[in-house]
Amino acid sequence: QILRGKSHDGPVSRRLNRPLSIRCSRILVRYPVTPNQISLFSFLLSVLATVLFVADGYAFLALGGVIAQASSIIDGCDGEVARLKYLSSEYGGWFDAVLDRYADAFLLFGLTWHVHGYNPSPLVLVVGFLAVIGSFMVSYTADKYDRLMKSRIDRGIRIGRDIRVFLIFCAALLNLPYLMLMAIAVLMNAEAIRRIIICREHEAS
């Protein structure tokens, strides 16, 4: 029962990331590794993926996408190992969240850099900026939205970091970085606006 998904796991976390991260956590718990070290390792994987995005060529792009998705999977291990080793703490959760925001910024910056390399249009920079802002706002609104709308979340699809990183993974693997960057920009900002409207209506009711 300790190794189970969170109630607000998104569809990618629930069906792909969590089953794999649980397997990894069962191995990691045998070694003297701390949850914060796992959080840091996951972040460093995102930095490595960013470096590969910045490098020229599809091979680097695809490898970066795979590493970004691996980072997303490992990101679930810190909390699982913390629960298994009874090392859960408020600081650990906060530290992981901070590193996730940095990782998101790095990955989207790397994807924007890659697209801008072969399409040096100001519009690419605008799309990349909107993708970063939308991602940050979805993360920022998550806490209040999850608390207020728990019943609605249980019935629907939660838009979160798991979907965002999976889209980056698909962008790299399918060699469609610009299309996916636009999709992330539209999806994340639309979700943030939707949450603002829903939470406002909830408070007014």
Side-chain angles (χ1 to χ4, degrees), residues 3-4 6 12 31 36 42 46 48 50 56 60-61 68 74 91 112 114 121 137 141 159 173 186 188 202 205:
L3 287 182
R4 62 183 185 275
K6 298 178 182 177
V12 177
Y31 299 93
N36 288 347
S42 172
S46 292
L48 175 58
T50 301
D56 189 31
F60 289 115
L61 178 67
I74 296 297
Y91 173 79
T112 303
H114 180 89
S121 165
M137 291 311 299
T141 58
I159 305 296
L173 215 59
V186 172
M188 295 302 146
H202 185 275
S205 61

Side-chain angles (χ1 to χ4, degrees), residues 15-59:
R15 295 180 173 84
L16 175 63
N17 293 359
R18 191 65 67 181
L20 293 175
S21 69
I22 287 174
R23 293 185 181 185
C24 293
S25 295
R26 285 173 176 160
I27 297 172
L28 289 171
V29 76
R30 303 172 189 169
Y31 299 93
V33 60
T34 68
N36 288 347
Q37 289 171 342
I38 296 173
S39 297
L40 184 59
F41 178 69
S42 172
F43 166 71
L44 292 176
L45 284 178
S46 292
V47 173
L48 175 58
T50 301
V51 172
L52 291 169
F53 288 160
V54 170
D56 189 31
Y58 169 72

Side-chain angles (χ1 to χ4, degrees), residues 65-205:
V66 171
I67 292 175
Q69 184 60 34
S71 170
S72 183
I73 293 169
I74 296 297
D75 187 47
C77 294
D78 49 10
E80 293 161 1
V81 170
R83 291 191 292 275
L84 284 169
K85 291 187 173 183
Y86 300 100
L87 294 175
S88 299
S89 68
E90 289 188 11
Y91 173 79
W94 176 78
F95 180 66
D96 177 52
V98 169
L99 290 182
D100 283 350
R101 301 295 76 75
Y102 273 112
D104 288 346
F106 271 106
L107 289 172
L108 291 170
F109 168 78
L111 203 61
T112 303
W113 182 293
H114 180 89
V115 174
H116 192 263
Y118 68 83
N119 183 6
S121 165
L123 183 59
V124 172
L125 301 180
V126 172
V127 171
F129 174 77
L130 289 174
V132 172
I133 291 297
S135 298
F136 276 25
M137 291 311 299
V138 165
S139 299
Y140 182 75
T141 58
D143 183 59
K144 183 176 181 64
Y145 179 78
D146 288 349
R147 282 187 289 107
L148 286 180
M149 309 305 296
K150 186 177 186 305
S151 60
R152 189 186 296 261
I153 293 170
D154 290 342
R155 294 195 301 268
I157 295 177
R158 185 180 188 276
I159 305 296
R161 186 170 191 266
D162 62 322
I163 291 179
R164 185 161 58 247
V165 178
F166 186 73
L167 285 176
I168 293 173
F169 166 67
C170 291
L173 215 59
L174 299 175
N175 199 19
L176 296 171
Y178 196 14
L179 179 63
M180 290 300 183
L181 195 63
M182 288 189 288
I184 291 170
V186 172
L187 181 63
M188 295 302 146
N189 283 287
E191 174 64 10
I193 293 170
R194 187 185 72 88
R195 289 179 180 182
I196 291 170
I197 294 172
I198 288 177
C199 288
R200 181 177 180 277
E201 291 175 348
H202 185 275
E203 291 285 348
S205 61

